[in-house]
Amino acid sequence: MSVTVVGSGNVDLVSQVERIPLPGETVLSTGFATHAGGKGNNQATAAARAGATTTFVGAFGDDDNGARLRESLTGSGVRPLVRTSDEPTGTALITVSATGENAIVVNAGANATLTDLTQEERAAIAGADLVLMQLEIPLATVVAAAEIASGRVVLNAAPAQRLPCELLTHVDLLVVNEHEAALLGGADHLLTVVPALVVTLGAKGALVRTRDTTTEVPGIAVDVVDTTGAGDTFCGALVAALDEHRPLDDAVRFASVAAALSVRRAGAVPAIPTREEIDDFHP
Ligand code: ATP
């Protein structure tokens, strides 16, 4: 049983503010911190902490941020299959309001150089039982990885963008939030191409759809500190549960617990719960 995550790694520069500034406005932060982040890195970390044997395929810069991300991945038990790029490690400028809302600007940096796949990367993708991807690396690489995969392909279509049919036909499970689902034409349309779909609904939980079934998985009420990375924690924990051959509805319930636990803590990677924390949580 194994999971390979192909995706981005960023260092998050996080400012706490009373409220997110409007265009042209400057606000003073009430706190500042840097954390390991990036959707690929976050999701690989979440999968490993949830118990999956996890490899991360990505690209970092030859800089302190890159070293920090490698350290963070290995510290969480992820095997980093990471190439060193001439571009700087990706960064994300994140603003978190007092109510837990966020606004994010991503600088792709090294992530944009992941334009082809090496033999070793191809082998890690082809040999995995589950391949999990997002859309913060070049789309052509996501398509190539989906074509190479022999196990199940799970795509988190974030950040929101239109997708070619050649990609969706290789996807076994699509995970989107409401905004992404709408941009891609809605759940009913998506289910004409992909066999299964999870629509995450923030605090309200998630909707699990196949062509024949709809299951509502209610949200878990927790005190919200920071929702950054909730979706990533959800996706990583979801594939870890699927890798244990849990049925999809059950895997989504497990992912909902992991994601709810993550919003109770600040930051993306620091907030991702361990398997023990997920198993011990009884709402
Ligand atoms: P983000 O971009 O903030 O990481 P997202 O937009 O990709 O998130 P959401 O639908 O907001 O995804 O959240 C993903 C999952 O995280 C939800 O399905 C839910 O299980 C959990 N979650 C998010 N917000 C909350 C919350 N306030 N309370 C409890 N669970 C939450």
Side-chain angles (χ1 to χ4, degrees), residues 171 188-197 209-214:
V171 171
D188 291 334
H189 168 70
L190 285 166
L191 283 165
T192 62
V193 192
V194 297
L197 178 72
R209 294 276 313 264
T210 65
R211 285 172 192 151
D212 312 316
T213 60
T214 300

Side-chain angles (χ1 to χ4, degrees), residues 9 24 31-32 52 67 73 176 179-180 205 228 256 260 269:
F32 176 76
L73 282 165
V176 285
H179 169 61
E180 290 146 5
T228 310
S256 300
V269 164

Side-chain angles (χ1 to χ4, degrees), residues 175-187:
V175 184
V176 285
N177 65 20
E178 285 176 290
H179 169 61
E180 290 146 5
L183 183 98
L184 292 171

Side-chain angles (χ1 to χ4, degrees), residues 53-274:
T53 300
T54 308
T55 298
F56 171 73
V57 173
F60 301 158
D62 184 12
D63 47 27
D64 290 348
N65 283 344
R68 179 176 179 173
L69 289 181
R70 281 174 198 272
E71 214 171 282
S72 171
L73 282 165
T74 48
S76 294
V78 178
R79 176 172 80 106
L81 190 50
V82 174
R83 59 174 85 174
T84 304
S85 160
D86 291 338
E87 294 295 320
T89 299
T91 53
L93 311 177
I94 302 178
T95 310
V96 183
S97 77
T99 56
E101 279 179 318
N102 61 47
I104 304 177
V105 178
V106 174
N107 305 291
N111 297 307
T113 68
L114 200 70
T115 50
D116 52 7
L117 291 165
T118 64
Q119 274 309 108
E120 200 184 5
E121 290 163 353
R122 285 171 172 267
I125 294 162
D129 295 306
L130 277 138
V131 175
L132 171 61
M133 297 188 282
Q134 325 73 31
L135 302 173
E136 283 186 339
I137 58 170
L139 190 60
T141 305
V142 177
V143 175
E147 283 169 356
I148 294 166
S150 57
R152 279 186 283 177
V153 174
V154 180
L155 178 68
N156 173 217
Q161 59 180 273
R162 291 191 186 284
L163 296 175
C165 218
E166 57 173 327
L167 172 59
L168 288 175
T169 53
H170 291 286
V171 171
D172 297 290
L173 173 63
L174 188 68
V175 184
V176 285
N177 65 20
E178 285 176 290
H179 169 61
E180 290 146 5
L183 183 98
L184 292 171
D188 291 334
H189 168 70
L190 285 166
L191 283 165
T192 62
V193 192
V194 297
L197 178 72
V198 175
V199 182
T200 63
L201 308 169
K204 286 179 281 168
L207 206 57
V208 189
R209 294 276 313 264
T210 65
R211 285 172 192 151
D212 312 316
T213 60
T214 300
T215 309
E216 283 175 33
V217 174
I220 296 165
V222 288
D223 291 332
V224 179
V225 173
D226 176 6
T227 61
T228 310
D232 293 337
T233 301
F234 184 96
C235 292
L238 178 66
V239 294
L242 292 174
D243 196 40
E244 292 176 10
H245 301 292
R246 295 197 191 195
L248 181 56
D249 292 357
D250 188 29
V252 168
R253 280 185 204 100
F254 178 84
S256 300
V257 172
L261 286 170
S262 80
V263 306
R264 303 195 309 181
R265 291 199 287 250
V269 164
I272 296 169
T274 61

